Amino acid sequence: MRSFSVAETIIIDAGHGGRDPGAVFQGRREADDTLRLALALGEMLKKAGYNVVYTRTTDVYNTPYEKAVIANNSGGDLFVSIHRNSVEEPNTSTGVETLVYKDTGLPGELGRNINAQLAKLGFANRGVIERPGLVVLRRTEMPAVLVEAGFINNDQDNALFDEKLNEIAGAIADGITETLNGNAPPSDIFYRVQAGAFASRSNADRLRDKLIAEGFPAFTVLRDGLYKVQVGAFRNLENAIRMEQVLRGKGYSTFISST
């Protein structure tokens, strides 16, 4: 894998932990599986030249909001949360899926690429699913995805998970690299629609929260001494223009930024 040019720091979140075991099946805890995979993924990304920050490296509990705060305070550029899926009846559902706040721009593309890489290992591809109610997707200030790495109460998925843990980590890492580098040169540009710039973080966050409440993938970044509220991350300028038109139609004063 080539090193990452668009973002430098990736936040890896192992779902659940501590007093929250997540889904449990025949003594197997989601929190343990997610930590194993998160640590393996982080090592893959470090070897490829990425900066990695973990929300946890041991069996401890943080609320979803605390995980978002860890990510935001780290200055991270991308947030990847690792989970295992579960249904009421064992062995009735199988496969991988990736959850996003909104299936648009970078998160949607990243989710599809991660799923496609995992499908090469034998997992069924259940697609990208919007989950705007999840705190780790809604409150993080950078593009974010949540990967459901197979069903913890499906014997076939568990066999794949255990036999190919490092390959699964590599597949997720490849999905990240493919999305952010692809076949493009290192100077590849992402376009974002900027809706405001403030000296005060609280003022920026109020605008960000208003945009999020209206269904836009908004986040706050600190650049050039100002807290800037931006929406989306698009490789294609035309997609950024369409987003800007929607925002202007709702009364926002915007411009397109490539930084």
Side-chain angles (χ1 to χ4, degrees):
M1 293 182 294
R2 291 180 296 166
S3 64
F4 191 56
S5 60
V6 177
E8 297 179 353
T9 299
I10 302 176
I11 313 302
I12 305 298
D13 169 46
H16 307 285
R19 62 181 174 81
D20 174 16
V24 177
F25 178 63
Q26 296 180 346
R28 183 179 191 128
R29 302 184 342 139
E30 181 182 4
D32 299 331
D33 282 1
T34 62
L35 184 58
R36 290 167 58 203
L37 180 53
L39 293 175
L41 171 60
E43 287 305 308
M44 294 275 186
L45 293 172
K46 287 178 187 176
K47 289 176 182 177
Y50 304 92
N51 298 321
V52 173
V53 174
Y54 300 99
T55 60
R56 69 180 179 100
T57 57
T58 59
D59 187 25
V60 297
Y61 176 73
N62 290 302
T63 68
Y65 178 76
E66 287 170 336
K67 292 183 176 194
V69 169
I70 290 169
N72 296 339
N73 288 345
S74 74
D77 301 288
L78 187 68
F79 181 89
V80 180
S81 185
I82 303 299
H83 284 254
R84 302 287 315 277
N85 223 331
S86 183
V87 289
E88 185 174 345
E89 188 67 29
N91 292 307
T92 57
S93 293
T94 182
V96 295
E97 60 192 35
T98 299
L99 311 183
V100 296
Y101 177 81
K102 191 173 181 64
D103 186 3
T104 186
L106 178 62
E109 182 182 357
L110 177 58
R112 273 179 282 280
N113 287 337
I114 288 174
N115 288 349
Q117 291 291 339
L118 290 170
K120 293 178 182 178
L121 301 179
F123 286 105
N125 185 345
R126 297 168 58 91
V128 173
I129 300 172
E130 292 186 349
R131 288 287 177 81
L134 294 180
V135 171
V136 293
L137 301 179
R138 188 177 76 246
R139 301 300 296 180
T140 43
E141 296 171 358
M142 65 288 295
V145 297
L146 187 153
V147 181
E148 296 277 13
F151 282 77
I152 198 168
N153 58 352
N154 180 282
D155 294 332
Q156 175 184 330
D157 283 4
N158 283 340
L160 273 174
F161 189 92
D162 293 337
E163 293 167 10
K164 298 186 176 183
L165 179 70
N166 287 331
E167 292 170 79
I168 292 168
I172 297 172
D174 285 344
I176 292 169
T177 300
E178 177 186 358
T179 304
L180 293 158
N181 286 348
N183 295 316
S187 60
D188 193 26
I189 294 172
F190 274 66
Y191 299 98
R192 299 171 174 86
V193 182
Q194 186 161 308
F198 304 87
S200 166
R201 174 63 179 264
S202 61
N203 289 338
D205 286 349
R206 275 195 290 273
L207 176 58
R208 179 203 63 198
D209 291 347
K210 182 175 183 289
L211 286 161
I212 288 173
E214 294 177 5
F216 294 103
F219 52 94
T220 304
V221 296
L222 176 61
R223 290 200 178 99
D224 303 322
L226 292 173
Y227 293 98
K228 300 181 179 182
V229 181
Q230 299 182 334
V231 178
F234 305 92
R235 271 209 174 97
N236 188 305
L237 178 58
E238 287 73 20
N239 291 337
I241 290 171
R242 281 195 288 271
M243 176 63 80
E244 184 182 35
Q245 290 171 341
V246 172
L247 287 165
R248 287 191 173 182
K250 289 183 173 291
Y252 292 101
S253 177
T254 63
F255 71 91
I256 294 174
S257 170
S258 60
T259 59

